[in-house]
Amino acid sequence: MNELLQQLINGLSLGAVYALIALGYTMVYGVLRFINFAHGDVFMVGAFTGMYFGRWLKPLAAAWPEWLFASTVLLVSMLSCAILGIVLERLAYKPLRERPRLTVLITAIGVSLLLEYAGQLVFGAAPRGFPSLITSSSISGIEGLHASNIQVIVLVVTALLLWGLHLVVMRTRLGLAMRALSLNPTAARLMGVNTNVVISFTFGIGSALAAAGAIFYASLYQAIDPFMGVLPGMKAFVAAVLGGIGSLPGAMVGGLILGVVETLVVGYSQLLGIPPGYRDAVAFVILILILLFKPSGLFGKTMREKV
Amino acid sequence: MLELLNVTAGYGSITALHGVSLRVEKGTIVTLVGANGAGKSTTLRAISGLLPVREGKVLFEGKELTNKRPHQIVACGLAHVPEGRMIFSNLTVLENLQMGAYLRRDRAGIASDQEFVLETFPRLRERTWQQAGTLSGGEQQMLAIGRALMGRPRCLMLDEPSLGIAPLLVKTIFEKIVQVNRELGLTVLLVEQNAHLALEVSQFGYVLETGRILLSDRSEHLKTNPAVQAAYLGA
């Protein structure tokens, strides 16, 4: 029982990271109807920004409380990635707005490769250690149950970010415009929505959430490299499809489910007879199953146009 | 108030409008009638900026709107209720109305206009919290018009408001169009396949055929014009 709880804690903290990345996929899909395959690499840039900025800030912030230091690094990384996301959209995707979706999709793969290899050039190919933002300690309440404080912080801060996102999307004017644009772009333009502004805003928010995911991921696993975004990016994409692409609650739930399932498969690999090396295959088996049995995902609506 | 000078527009290699010129006087209802594919919707799309104008000019209240972006054109006070209504089906009726007032900041004015819209279309009041996609076709059309009114436009362009709607509701909707035209002094440019109805409520009409203005006259004259009767009024 305790072991199951233990696995759930591990799974949820990993799932939180997937959920944060998945939101970016799903939001961009909502407004532009394309999958931004470079999203996982924005996540990677978020981790490196956090690493460099954290190292630079550490001596200056020696007297600061730890939470202030950690949240400054988090915010700076989120902000930098928001800007990166907006700039990428303007440079790479906006000129192709009127072109077929496939053109944009292929461009996104190109942007992804560009970021990965530019990352290799700038940051080096070898894995780097991520500075610890919060001194890690073990919280053990029940016997045999260990959660690191970082796991708990990741879950709490993710919950706060998701709540903030919910408020932005449901309560603000720009959030309403974003929902309107995803439902009917033509009508949204006729209401006075400047689509460029909303699209930039969407990329900004999505990329900032990916950066937050990256800081959490790097804090949990400590090592980062220029290709670290590939697998989490693909898995978060699966999470977004699992939840129903275009659905925000879907991306959140899909991410958590994926994190938990992946962790359980590894944790109970002997029992299940699946070697732990297959952990990365789990997401893609799930993807195949969804595409076979429920392509619209858990929260997705089958699109039916009413004339 | 609204004037088109020799407007040419089209889709890809196809030219749909060949130099269309028309005038809509302030406070009037002007209609654009014509067969399917004559270019009626294209004309409205070119005015509201959804479709680029290749040649010619669009003037509104003396200002040139040619090839401005749609959100800039709405901001000038020119609203377009598109064909097929295009309501936001997953948003509530109230959120749809809020979207109509997207560019406005005056809360008090928005609230009173919302009251006016719900007063004008009582069916919407009963359904304010319902998802707009669950409304009937006629109710959706009312919502689309109400949503456009929320922006407090000075000119309203309506594209086929009778399309796919129960006849009884068509009558109501046209009564409301006349009502807002009178009460708010709102100028209306009405595109309609049902020429009979359109010429009934309008003061002036243009007949469009394959992207060209064929005829233009006072609506009561068009109604009795033998060519119009034969082609569009089924007489």
Side-chain angles (χ1 to χ4, degrees):
Chain A
M1 188 60 211
N2 274 357
E3 193 190 333
L4 181 65
L5 267 171
Q6 179 71 59
Q7 299 291 359
L8 280 178
I9 293 172
N10 298 345
L12 285 175
S13 52
L14 178 63
V17 174
Y18 291 157
L20 288 169
I21 312 174
L23 283 165
Y25 278 112
T26 227
M27 285 165 73
V28 165
Y29 182 84
V31 297
L32 285 179
R33 293 284 181 276
F34 95 102
I35 303 296
N36 177 19
F37 279 116
H39 192 57
D41 304 296
V42 171
F43 165 86
M44 174 273 292
V45 174
F48 275 95
T49 312
M51 181 195 85
Y52 284 116
F53 182 74
R55 283 188 183 165
W56 176 81
L57 187 67
K58 194 134 204 171
L60 303 173
W64 295 12
E66 220 170 25
W67 67 265
L68 183 63
F69 170 66
S71 22
T72 310
V73 172
L74 179 68
L75 287 177
V76 166
S77 175
M78 288 174 73
L79 193 67
S80 319
C81 280
I83 295 168
L84 175 69
I86 291 169
V87 170
L88 284 178
E89 192 276 326
R90 286 278 149 136
L91 293 181
Y93 306 142
K94 192 177 169 225
L96 304 171
R97 196 81 56 76
E98 307 299 320
R99 300 296 176 83
R101 290 283 166 271
L102 189 60
T103 315
V104 196
L105 211 62
I106 293 167
T107 307
I109 295 172
V111 172
S112 166
L113 292 171
L114 177 79
L115 287 176
E116 284 161 19
Y117 288 93
Q120 201 174 36
L121 195 71
V122 178
F123 311 133
R128 311 278 290 271
F130 192 77
S132 81
L133 303 177
I134 299 269
T135 315
S136 101
S137 61
S138 183
I139 303 169
S140 43
I142 314 159
E143 203 176 332
L145 189 66
H146 296 283
S148 82
N149 58 337
I150 292 175
Q151 286 178 316
V152 176
I153 292 170
V154 163
L155 286 175
V156 171
V157 180
T158 302
L160 288 176
L161 287 171
L162 297 187
W163 180 65
L165 177 71
H166 174 80
L167 290 186
V168 167
V169 172
M170 299 309 286
R171 299 279 172 81
T172 68
R173 193 165 160 270
L174 220 44
L176 182 62
M178 194 193 281
R179 285 185 288 150
L181 186 64
S182 73
L183 289 171
N184 192 324
T186 305
R189 294 166 78 196
L190 289 177
M191 298 300 110
V193 172
N194 184 344
T195 45
N196 289 338
V197 170
V198 177
I199 289 168
S200 289
F201 178 70
T202 307
F203 268 85
I205 293 201
S207 305
L209 291 174
I215 298 295
F216 299 159
Y217 189 83
S219 297
L220 289 168
Y221 300 101
Q222 278 128 33
I224 63 175
D225 70 86
F227 291 91
M228 67 180 282
V230 178
L231 268 177
M234 293 298 275
K235 289 179 188 168
F237 166 63
V238 174
V241 175
L242 169 63
I245 192 89
S247 156
L248 296 185
M252 299 178 193
V253 174
L256 292 176
I257 291 179
L258 199 65
V260 168
V261 171
E262 186 183 316
T263 312
L264 288 181
V265 166
V266 179
Y268 292 95
S269 63
Q270 278 192 318
L271 202 68
L272 296 167
I274 306 170
Y278 280 88
R279 72 177 299 161
D280 294 332
V282 171
F284 303 102
V285 171
I286 291 179
L287 178 65
I288 292 168
L289 292 178
I290 314 159
L291 293 180
L292 281 177
F293 298 110
K294 198 164 187 322
S296 58
L298 297 175
F299 291 72
K301 295 196 178 91
T302 19
M303 292 286 181
R304 217 181 292 125
E305 293 286 324
K306 194 172 177 185
V307 188
Chain B
M1 173 162 227
L2 176 66
E3 192 169 10
L4 266 67
L5 297 170
N6 268 314
V7 168
T8 300
Y11 306 88
S13 58
I14 299 156
T15 306
L17 299 181
H18 304 270
V20 167
S21 298
L22 59 83
R23 273 179 82 88
V24 179
E25 296 299 338
K26 192 170 161 50
T28 60
I29 300 183
V30 173
T31 187
L32 205 55
V33 295
N36 242 339
K40 306 187 299 291
S41 296
T42 308
T43 307
L44 296 196
R45 291 170 61 87
I47 298 172
S48 63
L50 291 176
L51 192 70
V53 172
R54 291 180 181 167
E55 278 170 55
K57 276 183 183 177
V58 179
L59 300 169
F60 181 64
E61 295 177 329
K63 261 191 297 186
E64 178 153 3
L65 294 189
T66 323
N67 288 332
K68 285 203 177 181
R69 302 192 41 220
H71 68 94
Q72 296 168 318
I73 290 172
V74 195
C76 292
L78 185 58
H80 178 180
V81 180
E83 188 176 356
R85 307 180 284 269
M86 293 200 185
I87 50 138
F88 301 112
S89 51
N90 284 5
L91 302 187
T92 64
V93 167
L94 217 52
E95 284 175 321
N96 268 274
L97 294 179
Q98 282 170 17
M99 273 311 293
Y102 181 73
L103 291 173
R104 294 175 61 185
R105 304 275 184 181
D106 55 323
R107 280 163 183 262
I110 294 173
S112 78
D113 283 1
Q114 184 174 307
E115 194 46 41
F116 172 82
V117 168
L118 296 177
E119 200 67 37
T120 312
F121 299 110
R123 272 171 179 262
L124 297 182
R125 193 192 291 281
E126 296 160 22
R127 292 165 168 72
T128 39
W129 296 104
Q130 227 167 293
Q131 285 209 344
T134 64
L135 301 183
S136 77
E139 289 160 354
Q140 291 189 12
Q141 186 64 58
M142 293 176 185
L143 178 59
I145 296 173
R147 185 179 64 175
L149 292 176
M150 289 298 294
R152 202 179 273 184
R154 293 183 295 283
C155 177
L156 184 65
M157 302 194 291
L158 296 165
D159 197 349
E160 304 276 8
S162 75
L163 199 70
I165 289 170
L168 200 67
L169 281 179
V170 171
K171 193 165 165 278
T172 314
I173 286 170
F174 273 76
E175 279 166 12
K176 299 299 180 185
I177 294 170
V178 173
Q179 185 194 330
V180 292
N181 165 256
R182 290 209 184 120
E183 285 181 13
L184 304 176
L186 187 67
T187 311
V188 177
L189 175 56
L190 172 68
V191 158
E192 186 52 66
Q193 266 198 67
N194 185 338
H196 192 75
L197 205 53
L199 292 172
E200 199 64 49
V201 298
S202 60
Q203 286 91 53
F204 202 88
Y206 289 87
V207 178
L208 204 61
E209 203 175 275
T210 57
R212 289 182 180 84
I213 300 281
L214 196 71
L215 276 170
S216 62
D217 206 341
R218 298 187 57 81
S219 298
E220 64 237 44
H221 295 160
L222 283 180
K223 258 188 292 188
T224 55
N225 183 315
V228 175
Q229 284 188 332
Y232 304 107
L233 297 175

